[in-house]
Amino acid sequence: MDNESILITGPEILDAGGIRRGSVLIEDNRIADVSNTLSPGDADTVIDGTGKLLIPGLVNTHTHLSMTLFRGIADDLPLDRWLNDRIWPAEARLNGDYCYAGALLGCIEMIRSGTTSFNDMYFYMDHVARAVEEAGLRCVISHGMIDLGDTEKMTAELRESRRIIKECHGMADDRIRVALGPHSPYTCSEELLKETAALADKNDLMIHIHVSETENEVSEVSRSHGMTPVEYLDEVGVLGPRTVAAHCVWLKDWEIDVLAERDVKVSHNPSSNMKLASGVSPVARLLQRGVNVSLGTDGAASNNNLDMFQEMKTASLLQKVNLEDPTALPAMDVFGMATLNGARALGIDAGLIAPGKLADIVILNTRRPHLTPWRNPPSHTVYSASGADVDTVICDGRILLMDGELEVLEEKYVMELAEAAAAELTG
């Protein structure tokens, strides 16, 4: 579908390549030009970027979008009780309509806070895909598979994954792609993991999985299989360049080497890891070994929001205090994790403001008290800004948010729909 051309005039530009000033021309769904010679007559729509910062759209590489409905229901609990006592019983009552409502709400939250692409694992994913299509965002979705050693359940989970692949892969002009989502090495049987690896290889699909999130997980997998989670997943063929491994908190040095050798993409989820007291991922060491580390919020029940600006700041500060090193994970590095590394992890041709790249762009209003004096764009973006500073959002060349006003979805209706769904689910 052809979009009208858009020209953003005179913003400051920040991406993983650095800082500069110039106008940005978008034609159809890609960046056509970045220069200081463009004029308003070059485009159908002109956006004044004066006093604003233009960045690539943020990429959230691990979330469970419809869990917006569970925001605040299971706070201050360890992961095993969080899952067994609160989350899994609530999820047993889910249906497609509920997941659609939660996904719509999550899409609005992400648009308003500057996320244009995300990697989602949950249930009723055809309903999630419908919400994403309406919202105009870009995503990779996967049905979260859990069989707990039950052969019948394994067959049903694989059948559902195949259904979602058939119905949703390539939807919305290829903005929506499908991955395989085995939940974790401790909730999936060895046979399910091997079937996942084979199906992914046959269909050239990504795999999205939780790995070494807690110390208990590592102990459980080690008891059951005589191997660490990374070693076990490598043995069954799950690890590879199309795999996004979420969390990766409890890693030994040699396991980091395995992740690097297999070109596994790691999604770091600092807020969720801190809230559930899961531990601190060795992000600095992962990056030093050449692992592509990106950022994810996890679901809104364990964060409790989807604001990637907050995630950037938390990621940087957590590494500094954990390593007792103020130079650890500087602003530009963590900004690259939230943009270019995220795009690479999901196989999206974006993450940089350059001709030919997909037109996934966020514009921040820098004329705010907490961003004044405006003197250090990377620092202000990571340490001072929040999702509330997002002024305009463009995804796939389409304006989703303009001057703080949503151009897609009816915000009041979506909030009412989600409020009613949440009340029925958890009331």
Side-chain angles (χ1 to χ4, degrees):
M1 180 179 68
D2 289 345
N3 297 335
E4 290 189 340
S5 57
I6 301 168
L7 178 64
I8 306 158
T9 60
E12 199 163 10
I13 298 169
L14 172 67
D15 65 11
I19 309 158
R20 59 212 180 272
R21 192 174 293 278
S23 296
V24 177
L25 177 65
I26 296 166
E27 292 179 349
D28 296 330
N29 70 336
R30 295 200 176 254
I31 297 171
D33 198 4
V34 182
S35 78
N36 291 306
T37 60
L38 295 165
S39 66
D42 294 329
D44 301 307
T45 300
V46 178
I47 298 172
D48 184 3
T50 306
K52 295 176 181 177
L53 180 70
L54 186 149
I55 64 172
L58 302 178
V59 183
N60 185 342
T61 56
H62 178 65
T63 192
H64 312 287
L65 193 60
S66 297
M67 291 186 84
T68 50
L69 300 181
F70 300 142
R71 198 190 319 264
I73 70 161
D75 291 333
D76 309 321
L77 294 171
L79 180 62
D80 54 349
R81 286 183 55 204
W82 182 83
L83 282 170
N84 290 297
D85 298 349
R86 303 303 302 274
I87 298 301
W88 283 343
E91 287 179 338
R93 297 191 288 274
L94 284 170
N95 61 34
D97 290 338
Y98 290 148
C99 285
Y100 172 70
L104 284 175
L105 180 65
C107 284
I108 289 178
E109 184 178 350
M110 285 194 291
I111 291 168
R112 284 203 167 279
S113 56
T115 291
T116 55
S117 301
F118 64 99
N119 188 30
D120 197 54
M121 176 200 291
Y122 211 52
F123 313 114
Y124 301 97
M125 297 309 290
D126 49 340
H127 294 261
V128 173
R130 180 161 59 95
V132 175
E133 182 173 27
E134 293 172 17
L137 290 171
R138 193 184 305 281
C139 70
V140 178
I141 59 172
S142 55
H143 168 67
M145 296 186 286
I146 297 174
D147 69 344
L148 299 171
D150 183 327
T151 303
E152 238 178 78
K153 180 77 165 119
M154 179 194 73
T155 302
E157 294 288 58
L158 287 167
R159 184 188 308 119
E160 176 66 3
S161 288
R162 289 188 178 97
R163 183 182 76 84
I164 297 301
I165 293 165
K166 183 178 179 181
E167 292 188 11
C168 302
H169 194 56
M171 271 180 65
D173 297 317
D174 208 35
R175 283 189 289 107
I176 299 172
R177 296 182 182 179
V178 179
L180 292 165
H183 176 267
S184 68
Y186 67 94
T187 55
C188 295
S189 66
E190 183 174 337
E191 188 176 357
L192 176 54
L193 292 170
K194 287 181 175 178
E195 288 287 336
T196 295
L199 189 59
D201 191 55
K202 180 181 178 181
N203 295 281
D204 194 26
L205 298 174
M206 287 174 49
I207 295 173
H208 182 189
I209 184 170
H210 302 80
V211 178
S212 299
E213 182 175 0
T214 65
E215 200 169 16
N216 283 344
E217 174 193 333
V218 175
S219 298
E220 187 175 333
V221 173
S222 297
R223 277 196 306 271
S224 300
H225 303 285
M227 293 177 271
T228 68
V230 169
E231 187 178 14
Y232 173 52
L233 292 172
D234 192 37
E235 180 79 16
V236 297
V238 167
L239 301 185
R242 296 191 304 269
T243 302
V244 175
H247 300 293
C248 292
V249 173
W250 293 89
L251 298 175
K252 297 178 171 64
D253 277 350
W254 66 265
E255 291 179 291
I256 294 175
D257 290 337
V258 171
L259 295 174
E261 288 164 11
R262 300 288 181 266
D263 194 19
V264 173
K265 312 303 190 292
V266 169
S267 177
H268 177 43
N269 300 242
S271 295
S272 176
N273 294 158
M274 291 169 69
K275 186 165 188 271
L276 294 169
S278 299
V280 183
S281 175
V283 171
R285 280 188 287 148
L286 284 160
L287 290 170
Q288 286 166 4
R289 305 284 180 89
V291 177
N292 186 99
V293 184
S294 56
L295 285 179
T297 59
D298 212 347
S302 65
N303 185 302
N304 290 22
N305 63 44
L306 305 175
D307 187 340
M308 285 286 288
F309 287 92
Q310 182 181 94
E311 216 62 35
M312 283 192 282
K313 180 175 182 176
T314 302
S316 180
L317 300 191
L318 179 58
Q319 291 300 304
K320 294 176 192 303
V321 71
N322 185 57
L323 298 173
E324 297 181 355
D325 177 6
T327 70
L329 205 57
M332 276 300 290
D333 287 2
V334 76
F335 178 73
M337 288 166 60
T339 54
L340 183 57
N341 287 13
R344 286 173 173 165
L346 303 190
I348 297 168
D349 189 19
L352 291 170
I353 306 301
K357 294 295 181 182
L358 287 165
D360 294 0
I361 287 170
V362 169
I363 304 172
L364 302 181
N365 180 0
T366 64
R367 292 177 174 171
R368 300 286 178 90
H370 59 280
L371 299 177
T372 302
W374 181 257
R375 57 160 61 105
N376 187 339
S379 171
H380 295 338
T381 301
V382 171
Y383 300 130
S384 301
S386 77
D389 298 316
V390 171
D391 178 90
T392 297
V393 174
I394 298 168
C395 182
D396 208 44
R398 179 188 177 192
I399 298 172
L400 308 184
L401 183 77
M402 181 75 163
D403 296 328
E405 296 295 324
L406 276 172
E407 301 287 314
V408 292
L409 303 177
E410 292 292 332
E411 189 166 22
K412 183 180 178 184
Y413 165 75
V414 169
M415 290 173 67
E416 289 172 351
L417 186 71
E419 193 75 65
E424 291 173 20
L425 275 169
T426 62

